[in-house]
Amino acid sequence: MKVVKIWRNAMRGVVAGVVVSISAAVCISPATAAEPAKSQAPAKPAVPPKPLTIQAQGSFFVGGHDIHSNTLSTAAGRGADGTITVDQMYVSYQLPLHARRFPITLIHGCCLTAKSWETTPDGRMGWQDYFVRKGFSTYTIDQVARGRSAFDPSAINSVKMGKTAPDTLSALFAAGHEEAWTVFRFGPEYPKPYANLQFPLQAQAELWKQLVPDWYAALPSPNPTVPNLSALAQQLNGTVLMSHSQGGVYPFQAAAISTKGIAGIVAIEPTVCPSPTGDLSPYTKMPILVVYGDNVEIAPRWAPRLEKCRAFIDAVAKAGGHATLVELPQVGFKGNSHMVMQDKNSLQVADWLLDWIDRNIEKKS
Amino acid sequence: MKVVKIWRNAMRGVVAGVVVSISAAVCISPATAAEPAKSQAPAKPAVPPKPLTIQAQGSFFVGGHDIHSNTLSTAAGRGADGTITVDQMYVSYQLPLHARRFPITLIHGCCLTAKSWETTPDGRMGWQDYFVRKGFSTYTIDQVARGRSAFDPSAINSVKMGKTAPDTLSALFAAGHEEAWTVFRFGPEYPKPYANLQFPLQAQAELWKQLVPDWYAALPSPNPTVPNLSALAQQLNGTVLMSHSQGGVYPFQAAAISTKGIAGIVAIEPTVCPSPTGDLSPYTKMPILVVYGDNVEIAPRWAPRLEKCRAFIDAVAKAGGHATLVELPQVGFKGNSHMVMQDKNSLQVADWLLDWIDRNIEKKS
């Protein structure tokens, strides 16, 4: 009963969004009144799942190197000169008892962190938890310069100190709710949804909280996350790289560095795929699945991406690779948004994906 | 055998630090060569622990509100105008089977994220995992504007767009290894350690990777994390707030908002405590423990902090509160640094803390 009450309160909070206008020049965020903020999501599941027994869990970093900077700080009492470590990638893991052969490495997309794969905005179980319960070890990353993987503050402080010009600041962006609406394919325009949409829109406020500012446009290519993923795959001696959106292409870029340790690739709604006319040999070395949701062909941002990825997958198959592109409606799932792992049918899609991995990667290894 | 080999390789990586000098004007980080970065920490524990059965796990946000900004983006193809959500606090949780009465809420310190409480730099079990194994539910936060809790990029983009002056940029800093050495009380000066130091210095490179840039000096007071903690404590209907360093004072600030839901406070090495001459009534309502490690009195940065917190604790006790300050050497632990939860004797200290919580909070509730 108590859990149900918490849940109801949480859902009430979710739909009570308040928009406050502030000047863009305000730093960080406006002053918060010193009273309790309203908590808006449940602190435990509405319905307790079955107990889960794990063998081990923890976290570590992959990659990273030291740089010297003389603009580390513009805060009082803190030295500006020193050494920091950058380009490392945070990884957390959970290993179930009697884990299956290949762990799944989860790679989030643009403006997001590994939170994407955890509890959904409406409080249901996320894919990371679900995969472990299905016997797969998971390794979940925060992309370099985002979440728990540090960015380098030197350029910002350098501008504040007057050492460099404002236009040397890195390209940075946060996705506004209105733009994210079409990017996440909730509907044709904000705030109009597609009729068959599977995303739990009543909890959209909880998704907006997941969004973080993103420096990826300013990072070198390939993103430092890519060589880190390659190193992780080799360290794990075999893993399925499962990626999403802006991170969608990273497993392919990692395979171009080395195919070692990449047991298979599952790219969920990648924004870009490798060129179909490039060197395809790395992609013939492991099973590949590219997945898109619904309403793709009618979304101007997404239709060309789908077509380009289809051309890539067709070219890999023609070159002898085991590569497949699936639009979810083709296999019976209707109405999926870009945020497949958070849609109302997310666990049904997960079952389908895990079955594909079982048949095409684990059984064929 | 294989595990031992991975571990040895990891430790070899840890001690092979390379310092590269770059201009402070370089954005984010220098280009990374497109080859695998060397992974430097184990992808699983060297010695598998006993299996752990949990009832549930997941994550959610507390707090947050919407703002409108017209400087959301300086990245190509992304709109600058829209609504974003700020001041929310990311929380991840794990509930063991048959959990004890009060969850422990873990609040990290400056320039760090919740990673502080996970696997130690040298690959041993972190306090979050250990506490769950000892029967305590844990709620672990990333402070507002850090880690998985978004910051507002508007002010940075506004300066890059030429709309506002460089000096409107928020105070921001990253802790350099050299400065962090004395802040974390590894020794009297970089790179000289204290003779009895418990921190696993051979793995220091893995700690440096945990450090992230910190906006806290630019945030309002109290930090938006504080009302969020108050809301979380009330939502949990009772929790022990365990804080560290710059986050050390947050439980006290949360208690000043409301004592509801705060079953007890354990502040590990707080940088500041409330004034002993202020309103002490909130602090007489729950058991309070303030803990410092070793070598505090000989550290110029730390000795005054210890004295001020001692004055506060003495005043609370005099006002009728149940408040205690313990220097770990007084109870038999020698050589602890500021990073107590990562020191070589971290689990022994954890046992002592959990016993204190059991006797002073759980048994007295």
Side-chain angles (χ1 to χ4, degrees):
Chain A
M1 277 303 289
K2 185 178 156 196
V3 170
V4 171
K5 194 179 163 200
I6 289 175
W7 176 259
R8 275 200 205 120
N9 286 341
M11 287 301 102
R12 211 173 297 147
V14 163
V15 293
V18 180
V19 178
V20 182
S21 247
I22 61 152
S23 154
V26 170
C27 294
I28 303 295
S29 63
T32 301
E35 52 185 55
K38 278 185 183 52
S39 179
Q40 305 183 327
K44 56 179 76 170
V47 181
K50 283 186 189 163
L52 165 66
T53 301
I54 59 171
Q55 178 64 69
Q57 62 186 354
S59 62
F60 59 99
F61 290 89
V62 176
H65 57 99
D66 290 350
I67 61 169
H68 180 261
S69 166
N70 57 15
T71 58
L72 287 182
S73 173
T74 50
R78 294 288 182 166
D81 195 75
T83 307
I84 59 172
T85 307
V86 297
D87 287 350
Q88 63 274 23
M89 176 178 84
Y90 171 82
V91 187
S92 69
Y93 66 87
Q94 249 184 347
L95 318 179
L97 277 185
H98 316 301
R100 302 179 60 135
R101 168 68 183 89
F102 296 117
I104 299 177
T105 298
L106 292 161
I107 305 149
H108 65 83
C110 162
C111 328
L112 294 163
T113 69
K115 164 63 184 162
S116 305
W117 309 102
E118 300 175 346
T119 311
T120 66
D122 57 342
R124 288 171 295 111
M125 185 180 289
W127 279 7
Q128 183 276 325
D129 193 359
Y130 192 68
F131 290 176
V132 173
R133 288 168 184 272
K134 291 289 175 179
F136 291 88
S137 296
T138 61
Y139 288 77
T140 311
I141 71 142
D142 280 352
Q143 286 192 31
V144 166
R146 229 183 304 165
R148 295 172 180 174
S149 303
F151 67 91
D152 180 356
S154 301
I156 300 169
N157 287 329
S158 181
V159 170
K160 186 173 171 73
M161 289 173 174
K163 291 188 172 194
T164 43
D167 63 6
T168 62
L169 286 166
S170 297
L172 171 65
F173 78 102
H177 305 172
E178 300 85 353
E179 183 168 320
W181 187 271
T182 50
V183 173
F184 291 168
R185 240 175 34 257
F186 294 162
E189 60 188 302
Y190 181 83
K192 190 179 166 189
Y194 293 121
N196 65 357
L197 183 68
Q198 287 279 359
F199 186 83
L201 276 185
Q202 81 281 6
Q204 62 180 283
E206 296 303 303
L207 170 63
W208 304 142
K209 294 178 188 178
Q210 296 186 19
L211 297 173
V212 297
D214 200 323
W215 309 94
Y216 88 82
L219 291 169
S221 183
N223 188 300
T225 302
V226 173
N228 289 340
L229 284 172
S230 178
L232 177 63
Q234 293 180 53
Q235 190 177 353
L236 296 178
N237 194 28
T239 179
V240 178
L241 297 179
M242 182 179 289
S243 59
H244 180 235
S245 191
Q246 166 258 346
V249 74
Y250 290 177
F252 299 111
Q253 294 177 331
I257 293 173
S258 171
T259 59
K260 274 188 209 162
I262 304 179
I265 293 174
V266 177
I268 313 285
E269 295 245 337
T271 52
V272 66
C273 286
S275 166
T277 59
D279 175 16
L280 299 176
S281 62
Y283 315 119
T284 62
K285 306 287 199 306
M286 74 285 290
I288 292 172
L289 174 65
V290 172
V291 175
Y292 286 93
D294 202 350
N295 301 308
V296 179
E297 272 108 346
I298 59 172
R301 184 188 291 266
W302 284 101
R305 293 172 172 176
L306 170 65
E307 285 322 302
K308 284 181 184 167
C309 281
R310 196 192 302 282
F312 164 70
I313 289 295
D314 288 351
V316 173
K318 204 170 170 184
H322 179 74
T324 312
L325 185 147
V326 169
E327 291 179 81
L328 287 175
Q330 296 168 346
V331 293
F333 298 107
K334 309 283 189 189
N336 280 102
S337 75
H338 181 57
M339 301 302 292
V340 183
M341 72 294 288
Q342 301 182 355
D343 285 341
K344 286 180 270 187
N345 61 353
S346 60
L347 297 189
Q348 288 74 42
V349 176
D351 284 337
W352 185 88
L353 287 173
L354 295 180
D355 180 63
W356 190 94
I357 289 169
D358 181 58
R359 286 183 292 108
N360 293 278
I361 301 176
E362 186 146 326
K363 291 239 168 72
K364 291 196 174 166
S365 72
Chain B
M1 278 303 291
K2 187 178 155 196
V3 170
V4 171
K5 194 179 163 198
I6 289 174
W7 177 259
R8 276 201 203 120
N9 286 341
M11 288 301 102
R12 212 172 296 146
V14 163
V15 295
V18 179
V19 178
V20 182
S21 246
I22 62 153
S23 154
V26 170
C27 294
I28 303 296
S29 63
T32 301
E35 52 184 54
K38 278 185 183 54
S39 179
Q40 305 183 328
K44 55 179 77 170
V47 180
K50 283 185 188 165
L52 165 67
T53 300
I54 59 171
Q55 178 64 68
Q57 61 186 355
S59 61
F60 60 98
F61 290 90
V62 175
H65 57 99
D66 291 349
I67 61 169
H68 180 262
S69 166
N70 57 14
T71 57
L72 287 181
S73 174
T74 49
R78 295 286 182 166
D81 196 76
T83 308
I84 58 171
T85 307
V86 297
D87 287 350
Q88 63 273 23
M89 176 178 86
Y90 171 82
V91 187
S92 68
Y93 65 87
Q94 246 181 352
L95 318 179
L97 277 183
H98 316 300
R100 301 178 61 134
R101 167 68 185 92
F102 295 117
I104 299 178
T105 298
L106 293 161
I107 305 150
H108 64 80
C110 163
C111 329
L112 294 162
T113 69
K115 165 63 184 163
S116 305
W117 308 102
E118 300 176 347
T119 311
T120 66
D122 58 341
R124 289 170 294 112
M125 184 180 291
W127 279 6
Q128 184 276 325
D129 193 358
Y130 191 70
F131 289 177
V132 173
R133 289 169 183 272
K134 291 290 176 179
F136 291 88
S137 296
T138 61
Y139 287 78
T140 312
I141 71 141
D142 279 350
Q143 286 192 30
V144 166
R146 227 183 304 167
R148 294 171 180 175
S149 304
F151 67 91
D152 180 356
S154 301
I156 300 169
N157 287 328
S158 181
V159 170
K160 185 174 170 71
M161 289 173 173
K163 291 188 174 196
T164 41
D167 63 4
T168 62
L169 286 166
S170 296
L172 170 66
F173 76 103
H177 305 172
E178 300 84 352
E179 182 168 320
W181 187 272
T182 49
V183 173
F184 292 169
R185 239 175 33 255
F186 293 163
E189 60 188 300
Y190 181 84
K192 191 179 167 190
Y194 292 120
N196 64 356
L197 183 68
Q198 287 280 358
F199 187 83
L201 276 184
Q202 82 282 4
Q204 63 180 282
E206 297 302 303
L207 171 63
W208 305 142
K209 294 178 187 178
Q210 297 186 18
L211 297 173
V212 298
D214 200 323
W215 309 94
Y216 88 82
L219 291 170
S221 182
N223 189 301
T225 302
V226 173
N228 290 339
L229 284 171
S230 178
L232 177 63
Q234 293 180 53
Q235 191 177 353
L236 295 177
N237 193 28
T239 180
V240 177
L241 297 179
M242 183 180 288
S243 59
H244 180 234
S245 191
Q246 166 258 344
V249 75
Y250 290 178
F252 299 111
Q253 294 178 330
I257 293 174
S258 170
T259 59
K260 275 187 208 164
I262 305 178
I265 293 174
V266 177
I268 312 286
E269 295 244 339
T271 52
V272 65
C273 285
S275 166
T277 58
D279 175 16
L280 299 176
S281 62
Y283 314 119
T284 62
K285 305 287 199 304
M286 74 283 291
I288 292 171
L289 173 65
V290 172
V291 176
Y292 285 93
D294 202 351
N295 300 308
V296 178
E297 272 109 346
I298 58 171
R301 185 187 291 265
W302 284 102
R305 293 172 172 177
L306 169 65
E307 284 321 302
K308 284 180 184 168
C309 281
R310 195 192 302 280
F312 165 70
I313 290 295
D314 288 349
V316 173
K318 203 169 170 184
H322 179 74
T324 311
L325 186 147
V326 169
E327 290 180 81
L328 288 175
Q330 296 168 343
V331 292
F333 298 107
K334 307 284 188 187
N336 280 102
S337 75
H338 181 57
M339 301 303 291
V340 182
M341 71 294 288
Q342 302 182 354
D343 285 340
K344 286 181 270 186
N345 61 352
S346 59
L347 297 189
Q348 287 74 42
V349 176
D351 284 336
W352 185 87
L353 287 174
L354 295 179
D355 180 64
W356 190 93
I357 289 170
D358 180 59
R359 286 183 290 109
N360 293 279
I361 301 176
E362 187 147 325
K363 291 237 167 75
K364 291 197 175 166
S365 72

